[in-house]
Amino acid sequence: MSEHKKMYKAGKRWLVATLTVASVAVGTAVVNGQPAVHAATVDNVTQAQQAADTDPRITVVSEDQNQSQRNQYQQQAQDLQQQVADRNASLEQVNGKLSQYEQEQAAADTAINNDQAQLDQGKQLMDKAVQAKNARRTELLQQNDQLLAEQDAQSKKTKELNAQVQKLYAEYQELWHQYESASGEKLKQAYDKMEAASDAYYAAGKQQVDSINRGTTLGNEINDRLHQLYLLKEDPNPYLPADKEDYERGQQLVTDFTRQLNSDQQRKSSLANRIRSVQRQLQLIKSHRDQAQTALDKVNSQLSTLPAVYQVEKKVTRTIVLNQPNGAHKTVRQRATITGTKTVANGQTSYSNWSQAEWPAFVAEELPGYQGPVLAAQTVDSSTPDQQLELTYQPQGATNPDRGGNDQQSSGADQEKRANSGQQPASVQNIESKQNTQVKSNDLSGAKQGAWLTSTDHRTGNGAQNAQLPQTGNQAETLPLAALAISAGMAMFGLALPRRH
């Protein structure tokens, strides 16, 4: 890749630019049957465009157009967040109350269990005393029944003994009479029999007395049992006198803990009602909290997807370095401002709706004995990079250095004749006419669009002039660029002609 300085004549002006030749191919463009001449730029190759959000040429010139809607969403989100926070605080408070009630209910359950245990113990003491009295009554009844049965048996035995005694007594009386009437040996026998009957009679009598005494004893015992049963029946206490203390202690336990049990059960029932009420309150608060959270999530989603939209300006600069005959360098900067829209969504920045502007045509001021270079207007859009161009004054009457000494299209005499008469070739005259027309029309459009030029004087020798250059409007660069391409090709084949000064 190499660089070449090329000169092109347009009308009475010479246009000079630095060309970058990348290949040996020569391109030719034709407009209305005539070669078109274009001026190339130093930075003519489009570079990869900077990331839009880091391009220093872009300036934000407006507030976020969605800020009002964003503020509204943010306010809604704050309100809903506060509602969620309030509901959560209420839930925490109510849960604390529920926990307190549940603890009190557990304490009530423990108290109820203790009350029931004490009550059961009292009932056991009372029941034991009552059962002891009932058992004593049953025991007396059983004993009385046994005594009655024994008394009946004893009475029957007494009757049998009484009959035996009567019989023995009759036998004894009979034997007594026999004894009185007996004599001799019979007397002794009668006496012996009477004595034996007397002994039997007295023995049976003794048994009879014993039987009667036993019957009397049994009767006394029966009377005692009946008296005890009577006393038990007439006693209003359900316990025996020996069990009075246990019974009364059990009775006191039953009385006290029956009352305490009722109180604890009522408290537990009241706590159960409170717990159900608090649980319903919790469900209601949770429902309201969830509704607020759902609305908050929706607003946050809308807020996160709401893009930030800004109006932006982008200033694109074309820098023209004008090489003057005295060696000085004058820099002219043309800045075109385009507008667009910047959108930031989901952390990504994008640009759109770019407008178009233009760099106006540049016409160098005339210097005595020199032809001023000319640069056509150029449309500027969002893809146009900053550019830098170098232009050089050429002596008046100088031939095109790229045409060579032997012009294939015209003879040397014709060239000299046209040079002396000031006449230009038809193709160059046609370009000059078009450029003059462009400069006049662009002066109006350039003023309307407000484009501006600034110049900077770079001194290397004698003082150089500082001038405010005229502004021109939009113009396509078809002719200068084609001419530069042709000259580049000719330079590659060594067809440059000696310059005339």
Side-chain angles (χ1 to χ4, degrees):
M1 183 177 292
S2 60
E3 294 185 355
H4 298 272
K5 298 288 185 177
K6 297 299 178 181
M7 298 179 61
Y8 300 94
K9 191 171 184 180
K12 295 182 179 181
R13 297 178 179 275
W14 286 92
L15 185 147
V16 180
T18 302
L19 293 180
T20 301
V21 179
S23 66
V24 298
V26 178
T28 304
V30 178
V31 179
N32 294 329
Q34 300 294 335
V37 182
H38 285 261
T41 65
V42 176
D43 191 14
N44 197 26
V45 179
T46 302
Q47 302 293 332
Q49 187 178 4
Q50 288 182 313
D53 54 347
T54 60
D55 191 338
R57 299 176 298 172
I58 297 177
T59 303
V60 176
V61 296
S62 73
E63 297 292 336
D64 180 9
Q65 296 179 3
N66 287 334
Q67 190 60 47
S68 176
Q69 184 67 33
R70 192 184 315 282
N71 292 339
Q72 182 179 354
Y73 284 153
Q74 289 175 345
Q75 184 61 48
Q76 292 178 1
Q78 290 177 0
D79 294 342
L80 291 170
Q81 184 65 44
Q82 186 61 46
Q83 292 181 23
V84 173
D86 292 343
R87 298 296 186 274
N88 285 332
S90 298
L91 285 175
E92 183 176 358
Q93 181 180 2
V94 175
N95 275 322
K97 186 180 295 184
L98 176 62
S99 177
Q100 177 185 350
Y101 289 160
E102 288 175 344
Q103 291 176 0
E104 292 179 2
Q105 188 182 49
D109 287 335
T110 302
I112 289 173
N113 293 334
N114 181 67
D115 296 341
Q116 190 64 52
Q118 295 294 326
L119 182 62
D120 293 341
Q121 182 180 358
K123 287 181 178 180
Q124 288 175 1
L125 290 173
M126 294 177 66
D127 290 343
K128 183 177 180 181
V130 172
Q131 289 173 3
K133 184 175 182 179
N134 292 333
R136 179 59 179 165
R137 181 184 294 110
T138 301
E139 180 184 6
L140 290 174
L141 289 173
Q142 290 176 352
Q143 291 176 358
N144 187 62
D145 290 341
Q146 291 176 357
L147 290 172
L148 288 174
E150 186 178 355
Q151 185 183 40
D152 290 341
Q154 194 66 39
S155 177
K156 183 178 180 181
K157 181 179 179 181
T158 298
K159 289 180 179 181
E160 291 176 353
L161 289 172
N162 184 49
Q164 184 179 2
V165 168
Q166 293 294 331
K167 181 180 179 182
L168 290 174
Y169 179 74
E171 289 177 356
Y172 172 77
Q173 289 292 334
E174 180 65 27
L175 290 174
W176 171 260
H177 292 299
Q178 290 178 6
Y179 171 71
E180 286 180 349
S181 62
S183 61
E185 293 181 0
K186 292 184 177 179
L187 178 66
K188 182 172 178 21
Q189 291 178 350
Y191 179 80
D192 291 336
K193 289 180 180 180
M194 183 186 68
E195 286 294 329
S198 175
D199 292 338
Y201 169 74
Y202 281 110
K206 185 178 182 302
Q207 290 181 355
Q208 181 183 14
V209 172
D210 291 340
S211 179
I212 293 171
N213 291 335
R214 177 59 183 165
T216 302
T217 302
L218 289 174
N220 293 332
E221 290 181 358
I222 290 172
N223 290 332
D224 180 66
R225 299 297 187 276
L226 292 175
H227 180 69
Q228 291 183 28
L229 287 171
Y230 174 77
L231 292 177
L232 289 177
K233 180 180 179 182
E234 294 298 323
D235 186 4
N237 297 317
Y239 52 83
L240 297 174
D243 298 329
K244 178 181 179 181
E245 183 178 354
D246 290 342
Y247 182 87
E248 290 178 348
R249 184 162 63 91
Q251 188 179 36
Q252 188 64 41
L253 288 174
V254 170
T255 301
D256 293 342
F257 285 97
T258 297
R259 181 172 57 252
Q260 186 64 36
L261 178 61
N262 291 333
S263 176
D264 290 338
Q265 286 177 338
Q266 290 177 0
R267 188 164 182 270
K268 179 181 178 181
S269 178
S270 176
L271 288 170
N273 292 332
R274 293 181 184 181
I275 288 174
R276 286 192 293 270
S277 176
V278 170
Q279 288 174 341
R280 289 192 297 268
Q281 187 177 3
L282 282 175
Q283 292 177 353
L284 183 61
I285 295 174
K286 287 180 180 179
S287 176
H288 291 168
R289 191 273 312 274
D290 294 342
Q291 291 175 3
Q293 185 64 52
T294 301
L296 176 61
D297 294 341
K298 181 179 180 181
V299 172
N300 283 334
S301 176
Q302 292 172 334
L303 186 60
S304 64
T305 57
L306 181 67
V309 180
Y310 307 92
Q311 290 298 315
V312 295
E313 290 182 352
K314 181 177 181 181
K315 298 184 181 299
V316 187
T317 304
R318 179 166 72 173
T319 303
I320 302 170
V321 179
L322 182 60
N323 299 323
Q324 296 184 340
N326 60 359
H329 305 285
K330 180 179 292 186
T331 300
V332 178
R333 290 184 177 85
Q334 297 177 326
R335 287 182 179 172
T337 301
I338 59 176
T339 61
T341 301
K342 176 182 178 180
T343 303
V344 181
N346 298 324
Q348 301 294 326
T349 302
S350 61
Y351 291 82
S352 61
N353 302 327
W354 286 108
S355 65
Q356 289 186 345
E358 70 172 8
W359 289 319
F362 173 74
V363 180
E365 64 178 344
E366 292 286 350
L367 296 179
Y370 290 91
Q371 296 177 352
V374 194
L375 188 61
Q378 181 178 342
T379 300
V380 176
D381 57 25
S382 61
S383 62
T384 304
D386 291 341
Q387 298 181 8
Q388 182 173 339
L389 303 172
E390 184 178 349
L391 304 181
T392 303
Y393 280 91
Q394 298 297 325
Q396 291 183 354
T399 60
N400 189 336
D402 294 334
R403 300 293 294 271
N406 297 323
D407 194 338
Q408 297 179 0
Q409 296 183 6
S410 62
S411 62
D414 293 337
Q415 295 179 23
E416 184 68 21
K417 182 177 180 180
R418 282 192 294 270
N420 294 332
S421 63
Q423 183 180 1
Q424 303 297 332
S427 62
V428 177
Q429 291 176 359
N430 195 11
I431 295 172
E432 179 181 6
S433 175
K434 292 180 179 180
Q435 289 181 341
N436 290 336
T437 303
Q438 294 167 359
V439 170
K440 292 178 181 179
S441 63
N442 289 336
D443 286 342
L444 297 176
S445 61
K448 185 180 298 184
Q449 295 201 11
W452 52 272
L453 301 175
T454 61
S455 63
T456 304
D457 194 6
H458 303 273
R459 300 180 180 275
T460 57
N462 296 330
Q465 297 178 352
N466 293 330
Q468 179 68 36
L469 299 178
Q471 301 179 9
T472 62
N474 187 16
Q475 175 64 35
E477 297 181 281
T478 307
L479 296 179
L481 291 178
L484 290 178
I486 296 173
S487 296
M490 295 175 67
M492 294 294 295
F493 289 97
L495 299 180
L497 297 176
R499 298 181 179 179
R500 295 173 56 189
H501 298 280

